Amino acid sequence: MPADLLTPAGTEAGLDAVQYCTFWVDELYLGIDALTVQEVLRNPGLTPVPLAPPAVRGLINLRGQIVTAIDLGARLGRTPTARRMNVVVRTADGSASLLVDKIADVVQVPRSGHEAVPTTLTGVARDLLRATCPLEDSLLLILDVARVTAFRKDG
């Protein structure tokens, strides 16, 4: 068998890259590893949860699976608002839905294109970011999904 048929689509550089599902929350351009994304939904019905943390906007019944909906903006320390899109992600503790403003593209970034979170960034957002990726026309902030959803354990 020819060697090029054994090579996955793309090039060798493609093997050393990560695909991110990207979206917007306010003016923040954010991304998460596309392999953690289960699906993207628009405006599923939310059932409010009394006494839940402010970032928990409610529960979604996703074909019989109850999923916690987290306002990603509130989680990042911004004002909670009515966000329109849901990015359902898989975590070690089950699925969670991240409420975002607008879905963007799937972006492939070489591993060498990742940079550390700037030390000038402070607050909750710094704790929730894993890396940054300077792109041609923007700065992609890579979220750590485990950290974003971890507060569910803390109560």
Side-chain angles (χ1 to χ4, degrees):
M1 180 176 289
D4 60 326
L5 293 179
L6 297 175
T7 304
T11 63
E12 193 171 298
L15 296 175
D16 193 28
V18 180
Q19 290 187 328
Y20 292 104
C21 173
T22 63
F23 44 83
W24 293 89
V25 172
D26 296 333
E27 75 284 354
L28 300 176
Y29 183 49
L30 301 158
I32 56 176
D33 188 330
L35 295 177
T36 66
V37 176
Q38 179 177 323
E39 60 188 288
V40 175
L41 305 169
R42 179 187 300 267
N43 294 328
L46 291 175
T47 301
V49 180
L51 305 177
V56 174
R57 298 294 303 271
L59 300 173
I60 298 171
N61 185 342
L62 189 61
R63 296 177 295 280
Q65 178 186 15
I66 304 302
V67 175
T68 303
I70 301 167
D71 182 330
L72 187 54
R75 189 70 178 109
L76 290 167
R78 296 171 174 273
T79 303
T81 63
R83 304 199 189 277
R84 296 178 295 196
M85 299 299 295
N86 291 264
V87 180
V88 180
V89 295
R90 291 182 222 100
T91 72
D93 297 323
S95 296
S97 174
L98 304 177
L99 302 174
V100 303
D101 293 327
K102 182 179 174 186
I103 300 296
D105 294 322
V106 173
V107 175
Q108 184 166 306
V109 178
R111 291 190 191 282
S112 62
H114 292 79
E115 296 183 1
V117 177
T119 56
T120 54
L121 182 63
T122 60
V124 175
R126 178 174 176 74
D127 296 335
L128 301 180
L129 294 178
R130 191 171 53 174
T132 61
C133 299
L135 302 177
E136 193 171 307
D137 58 352
S138 59
L139 178 65
L140 178 61
L141 305 172
I142 306 300
L143 287 168
D144 186 322
V145 172
R147 290 183 192 158
V148 170
T149 60
F151 77 102
R152 294 185 302 170
K153 295 178 190 174
D154 301 335

